Every structure is written in structure tokens, then in C-alpha cells.
Amino acid sequence: MSLDHRLAPEHEELRRTVEEFAHDVVAPKIGDFYERHEFPYEIVREMGRMGLFGLPFPEEYGGMGGDYLALGIALEELARVDSSVAITLEAGVSLGAMPVFRFGTEEQKREWLPRLCSGEILGAFGLTEPDAGSDAGGTKTTAVRDDSTGEWVINGSKCFITNSGTDITGLVTVTAVTGRTDAGKPLISSIIVPSGTPGFTVAAPYSKVGWNASDTRELSFSDVRVPFANLLGEEGRGYAQFLRILDEGRIAIAALATGLAQGCVDESVKYAKERHAFGRPIGDNQAIQFKIADMEMRAHMARIGWRDAASRLVLGEPFKKEAALAKLYSSTVAVDNARDATQIHGGYGFMNEYPVARMWRDSKILEIGEGTSEVQRMLVARELGLHS
């Protein structure tokens, strides 16, 4: 058994490549996109050319032949600089392309994955509804069979859907009730809806607290018709499918949150060395040193958590509890580090020209998206054998 937790050479090379891209390409430009609430198409295109959207997928589908650990590494390095770019990658891979890879037919994979892996198009995952957030089993969107035309007829709405309304969005995988069990419980299925399908309407972008350079919208479906062949996986298995997708996605969000937490350390160390008060750098003050040391401790432990969960996933071992723990802890420390980094920066931390102000605004959603902190605690308790 190896006790060496360092990255393998290929993973370290990826980390350095994305780190360089984040600092040289993303950092100088993303603040302007963020302030304008504008999607950074050229940055995303460059990420596609680098192969980031294809990291965990086989080469036969246009991917890079990597694994989920590789995806997490890329997300962490991007989020050290900016979370809008990182969440665009996270949602495009774990929510957009991964359902097609995990549950799609061979025909669906060959139709969609090459373009998703190259970043030519983005995919989205339509799960959350106005009255069905944490209670995703309360889905009200319906898909009814029309046997005369061989089509599903979809009606309903979704909210808070990332990557759903960009100029390069190609599809949204929608969860919908397609029937009822004998006991009257809803049977939820997943169905691919290509962008531009008649009756599929994408609302204007939300006005958000953070992630302002990413795309998040409300979707509506009014008698949207797609072929039976657009069913993703087995009918009635959509609930189980998205549980698996969310388990994996929590690792990705944990990596992103770790990156934000580490970015707060990076910026705070830099500022503490440059900012002088009372004739010396503020980093000479033990109070500042201890605060930054605590921030580094949190980021380090968060990194160990998400990498452990990712390694279990890659090895085919159970990882549900570890993914929930990683997501719960890393999102908490992201918020803590963003708060402390803002405090260290003083008044400048409240100015949007400083990255920590953006990190502060971006951190809170990490305790909400892809399962709230309360849901993560519930999952951990269940995995420990505790049931309500």
C-alpha cells in the first residue's frame, strides 16, 4: 500500500498547465467580464481547445482519457483565480456531458459527446424547479408519450440552470415525470432536449450575487416535442440517475470550493506582504499570520477530502459519504476563508477590483448548489446508519 499522496506526473503536469492558464489568461480578463455580467466566450473556447471539457471521458468519444481526479485538479486551479470560469467547466462536464456518458445509448454518446468534450457546445442539467429544490422528488415537469408521432411532449419549468442559455448551449437534460407506480408515486425519467426545440424557452439571465460571468437561467417547456429516442437511460430511472450524477458532482464542487479557499490564501499572503501600516507590512503582525495560517489549514484539509473522494470514485469504491463530507467541509471553509481574506484586506476587500471581493460574493452559493449543507449532513448521517 502506497502512502504517497503526491500527484502522479501526468496529474501534476495538468495542474501546472491549468495554473498557468488561470494566471496568464483568466486572471487579467475575468474581472471585466464579471462586472459586465458577461459570459467569457473566448476563455471558454480556449478551455475547449485545451481539452478541459473532455478530461474524464474516453478518447473514443473525443475525450482526453483522464479521470475524475484530473477534472477536480483543473477545477481547483481555475477556482483559485475565478469561480465563474470554474463552474462553467464543472457544470459542462459533470452535469452536461456526464449524464450522456453514464446513461446514454451508444448512438447518443457518439452524437453528443465529441462536441461536448471539445467545448464546441455546452450541456446543462435541468433538475431544480421552483417548488422542487432539495426535494427533487417533488418534480412537477411532465413528459407524456404521444404514440402517434413517437414523441415525448414536455411541459413544466426549471430554475437555476447553469450553462442553459449561452450561444453555444447544445442541450439540456431534463428530469420529468413520465408515469406513476401502482402506489401513485411519480416515475421520473431523464430526457435530452436540444437547444432551439420549439416550445423550449430560455429566460433572461438571473441577476446574481456571485458567479456573474457564468450563465444561469430559468427554463420553461410548453408542449416541447422530442423523439422517444431522446430518453436518457431507462424510463423511470431518472431519479436514480441524477442521484449518481449529484454524488459525483459534489466531488467537483468540493474541488472548486477548495480552489476558492486556496485563492483567498494566495491573495491574502500577497496583500499582507505589500500592505504597510504603522511602518511595516501587516504580515509582520501575528494576528494576521495566525489568520492566514488557519486559512491555509482549511484549504489543505479540504484538498485532502476531495482528492480522497475522487480517488475512491476512480477506483470504483463506494464514495457517497466521502463526497458529501468533502462538499460539506470545502464549501464551509470557502466561506470562512473568503470572509477572513476580506477582513485582512480591510476596506480594499470591499472593492470589486480586488479578487477577494469576487471570491466573497462567489463563496456562499457553494453551501447551497448541488445539495445544501443540510442535505450533505443528512447524507452523511444516513451513511452512518442513522435514519429519521
Side-chain angles (χ1 to χ4, degrees), residues 74-296:
L75 289 170
E76 181 179 336
E77 291 302 324
L78 288 172
R80 286 178 72 169
V81 169
D82 179 71
S83 291
S84 291
V85 170
I87 194 59
T88 298
L89 176 62
E90 190 278 333
V93 175
S94 68
L95 299 180
M98 194 60 73
V100 178
F101 176 65
R102 292 288 186 212
F103 310 114
T105 63
E106 190 64 24
E107 182 180 353
Q108 289 169 337
K109 292 177 185 178
R110 297 202 177 277
E111 177 182 0
W112 294 109
L113 286 179
R115 288 186 290 162
L116 290 166
C117 288
S118 70
E120 175 188 344
I121 63 172
L122 294 175
F125 191 54
L127 171 64
T128 304
E129 298 185 1
D131 295 320
S134 297
D135 179 20
T139 297
K140 291 183 172 59
T141 296
T142 60
V144 178
R145 282 178 171 271
D146 184 343
D147 291 322
S148 66
T149 62
E151 295 173 317
W152 294 104
V153 183
I154 304 172
N155 285 279
S157 63
K158 302 290 179 178
C159 60
F160 311 138
I161 309 304
T162 305
N163 291 347
S164 58
T166 73
D167 293 344
I168 57 174
T169 299
L171 74 145
V172 177
T173 300
V174 178
T175 53
V177 177
T178 55
R180 298 277 172 178
T181 66
D182 292 340
K185 292 185 178 180
L187 291 171
I188 298 175
S189 303
S190 300
I191 300 173
I192 296 173
V193 179
S195 297
T197 302
F200 174 24
T201 303
V202 181
Y206 287 106
S207 176
K208 297 176 293 187
V209 171
W211 285 359
N212 286 333
S214 71
D215 180 79
T216 317
R217 310 204 187 207
E218 184 174 356
L219 313 177
S220 63
F221 305 87
S222 179
D223 291 333
V224 172
R225 290 178 171 269
V226 297
F228 287 161
N230 283 29
L231 178 70
L232 191 64
E234 183 181 344
E235 184 177 352
R237 294 289 296 168
Y239 192 86
Q241 290 171 5
F242 74 67
L243 288 179
R244 167 72 189 213
I245 292 299
L246 291 180
D247 283 341
E248 295 183 5
R250 285 169 186 138
I251 300 174
I253 291 294
L256 190 158
T258 300
L260 188 151
Q262 189 65 59
C264 289
V265 177
D266 299 340
E267 293 298 327
S268 295
V269 169
K270 177 183 175 182
Y271 186 80
K273 291 178 178 179
E274 296 175 348
R275 172 67 168 167
H276 284 66
F278 304 104
R280 61 176 182 168
I282 63 170
D284 289 354
N285 297 316
Q286 194 175 69
I288 299 295
Q289 294 174 359
F290 281 10
K291 191 180 290 289
I292 294 177
D294 284 345
M295 293 165 64
E296 176 70 7

